Amino acid sequence: MNLLNVTIDGIKVQVPEGTSVLDAAKLANVDIPTLCYLKDINEIGACRMCLVDVGARALQTACVYPCSEGLNVITNSPKIRDIRKATLELILSNHERTCLTCIRNNNCELQALSEKLNVRDIPYDGVSKGLPIDNISKSIVRDNNKCILCRRCVAVCNKIQTVGAINVMERGYDTIISTADHRSIADVNCVNCGQCINVCPVGALYEKDNTQLVWDAIKDPDKHVVIQTAPSVRAGIGEEFG
Ligand code: SF4
Ligand code: SF4
Ligand code: FES
């Protein structure tokens, strides 16, 4: 295998040909922020949070930029920090920032990144999209007002699950993750596997919460409530034990 000599923030590493700058940085224990990136599934350079200086005219996205022999990468400079922060502020400008009541509060990659990059003010006035929430499905809720268009859900649905229930629709400001004819996810070929929820970095896709229905049933004197764990959990554990 052909190994390349690469320097990341002064740290020398050797990486196989075809390695991205992001993976080389991981090898050098250098952290580069990412948002849209999902290893081997969604490597499209969309969010531009991972911008680094590779000595080219413009900053490059580390998640898709390939290493070359002798490449010298700077991942942290005032210019890089400023551009990453401005990019994040733009993403946040039309994001529905209802963190306190959001299902992903304290478990949100966008929130964590805002904290990490010290975003304390959003200088841009973004227009809220005011899109309807799709909660017709028995298991999945879609709130496109919180979608940051990272496309991870589309990649996992198409490439891993090979279902293709959701895709990128429309263009420019109107770009949206949606279904055929913008139908509810309940009315298309979605198999309710939940993998899109798993990879969504924000609260744009989430599991329907039936906790209150359970409380109501338990409280109902005319009902006998029987609890059963989901069969897939048992099947999953069974598979592990052969
Ligand atoms: S998705 Fe994240 S940033 Fe957006 S409202 Fe929810 S917690 Fe806040
Ligand atoms: S729904 Fe979530 S995973 Fe899909 S594009 Fe929007 S933010 Fe990304
Ligand atoms: S993580 Fe590299 S462009 Fe989004």
Side-chain angles (χ1 to χ4, degrees), residues 7-230:
T7 308
I8 313 278
D9 290 345
I11 301 165
K12 293 189 186 310
V13 283
Q14 281 198 320
V15 295
E17 218 168 350
T19 303
S20 69
V21 167
L22 184 66
D23 281 340
K26 278 188 187 140
L27 211 61
N29 274 327
V30 170
D31 179 55
I32 297 175
T34 59
L35 201 49
C36 66
Y37 173 79
L38 203 57
K39 188 163 177 54
D40 297 332
I41 299 173
N42 199 44
E43 300 178 349
I44 55 170
C47 73
R48 305 190 69 75
M49 288 313 309
C50 63
L51 285 176
V52 291
D53 186 347
V54 294
R57 268 206 313 185
L59 299 181
Q60 301 292 323
T61 45
C63 64
V64 290
Y65 197 86
C67 288
S68 53
E69 177 57 30
L71 187 73
N72 186 25
V73 183
I74 308 289
T75 76
N76 200 337
S77 68
K79 180 182 170 190
I80 292 170
R81 286 196 298 275
D82 283 354
I83 293 181
R84 281 184 192 153
K85 195 170 174 186
T87 305
L88 187 56
E89 286 165 350
L90 278 169
I91 294 172
L92 287 164
S93 69
N94 71 343
H95 181 80
E96 194 183 273
R97 299 184 297 277
T98 49
C99 295
L100 282 185
T101 52
C102 180
I103 192 120
R104 293 294 297 269
N105 190 26
N106 286 332
N107 178 26
C108 169
E109 291 182 38
L110 185 61
Q111 200 181 54
L113 208 50
S114 304
E115 181 63 27
K116 192 172 182 175
L117 300 197
N118 201 24
V119 174
R120 294 285 169 258
D121 181 32
I122 296 156
Y124 311 105
D125 278 336
V127 181
S128 171
K129 294 193 171 172
L131 296 164
I133 294 177
D134 174 14
N135 65 357
I136 294 175
S137 155
K138 286 198 185 320
S139 53
I140 296 174
V141 182
R142 295 191 306 134
D143 181 356
N144 268 318
N145 300 298
K146 290 187 179 163
C147 175
I148 56 166
L149 296 173
C150 70
R151 294 158 166 79
R152 286 187 190 182
C153 54
V154 174
V156 85
C157 187
N158 282 278
K159 293 188 201 162
I160 305 298
Q161 302 305 88
T162 62
V163 174
I166 44 177
N167 218 325
V168 184
M169 319 277 279
E170 314 303 341
R171 282 164 175 244
Y173 177 77
D174 294 324
T175 306
I176 189 175
I177 306 300
S178 194
T179 57
D181 295 330
H182 299 299
R183 278 179 272 166
S184 163
I185 199 146
D187 296 332
V188 293
N189 57 336
C190 167
V191 295
N192 297 299
C193 66
Q195 290 307 312
C196 55
I197 296 174
N198 257 351
V199 298
C200 182
V202 294
L205 284 167
Y206 54 93
E207 216 176 310
K208 191 164 257 183
D209 182 354
N210 288 321
T211 311
Q212 192 54 46
L213 287 179
V214 177
W215 282 122
D216 291 346
I218 290 172
K219 211 174 64 182
D220 188 339
D222 298 327
K223 272 191 183 143
H224 290 286
V225 179
V226 178
I227 307 287
Q228 187 198 11
T229 52

